[in-house]
Amino acid sequence: MGFQSTPYSTCSTMDIYEHNHQISMWDDSFGADSSQYSGSSTVMEADVKIDSGFENIPHRTLGPPKKYNQEANKPGDKVLRRLAQNREAARKSRLRKKVYIQQLEASSMKLTQLEQELERARQQGVYTREHSGDSFLGSSGAVDSGIAAFEMEYGHWVEEQNRHTCELRAALHAHVSDLELRILVESGMRHYDELFRIKALAAKSDVFYLMSGMWKTSAEQFFIWIGGFRPSEILKVLTPQLDPLTEQQFMAVYNLQQSSQQAEDALSQGLDKLQQTLAETITSVPLGTSNMENYMGLMTNAMGKLEALISFVNQADHLRHQTLQQMYRILTTRQAARGLLTIGDYFQRLRALSFLWAARPRELA
């Protein structure tokens, strides 16, 4: 293959001259404009110096601004706070569980003690006539599951009432706001609602047990009326502790006490009438007869009449509930708090009196 010339080899002398002249004009143009970029060159040199100076600065000074670090740490702080809150909630949950287990164990011990007392009474012939072999075991002779549950719940209720009474006393002494007192008062009212609820269930299980007051201490039993306290008596205890009352409040409390007394009298008369009717029912067949058919008939009739006892207990609790609700409407928030505190203290003193009476020293014969 022969040598091939480049395109420039074919150019004429005139073309080369024009080409050189063009390059010369470009050189003049660049020379004229070089002054325009002299500042840029200086800046570039300065930048190079600055950059070389930064190389001597420790790297720790090149970190992000402090504010940026704080913002970057915020998500981590939030996570730590949430973990701390979770740990505190778990700790409180464990404490509540521990207290609940302790309460269950105490209630179980109480139930065991009751069973032992019943067994001793049965052996002593309280529930059984050993000489004839006839057993009179009824609902009192066996621990009914409904009554056992009621006793456990009532034990928890008393503990909660004592705690609530302490909170009310501390709040009144600290002169907290009416809003804080209202929260405590409404909590106390709901607590009494719970008492009436569990009593209604217990009445269905064994109304005789509930009316006997065996679930209360001995001093409380002395004041019992149809399975609970007399509303009119509670009002007599409350009124002196609520002074000063306005004239309108005093008249409202007085009228409430009178209406409560009338309702109590009506219920007491109805209960007396039921007792009379029941006695007449079980003696409608001459005593001493051995007609089993007539005997079972009158017992069935008597059982039907005893169902009315549950209604009497429920009506008495309804009267107690309405009396508390009416007092709550009559009184101011601070007076209502003092009223609940008074009721709590009253029953605490009756229970303390019962324990002191049971623990009193007895003279040996």
Side-chain angles (χ1 to χ4, degrees), residues 140-174:
S140 299
V143 180
D144 184 88
S145 59
I147 294 303
F150 168 75
E151 287 193 340
M152 291 181 63
E153 290 182 285
Y154 181 68
H156 296 312
W157 187 91
V158 171
E159 292 174 359
E160 184 66 18
Q161 188 194 36
N162 291 339
R163 184 192 63 78
H164 191 263
T165 300
C166 292
E167 288 182 349
L168 280 173
R169 183 180 291 107
L172 287 170
H173 287 172

Side-chain angles (χ1 to χ4, degrees), residues 22-38:
Q22 184 81 19
I23 293 174
S24 176
M25 291 178 62
W26 286 350
D27 288 340
D28 293 340
S29 175
F30 275 114
D33 294 338
S34 61
S35 60
Q36 297 178 8
Y37 296 95
S38 61

Side-chain angles (χ1 to χ4, degrees), residues 72-83:
N73 289 334
K74 283 183 179 179
D77 293 341
K78 185 180 295 184
V79 171
L80 291 176
R81 285 197 300 270
R82 186 176 293 114
L83 289 175

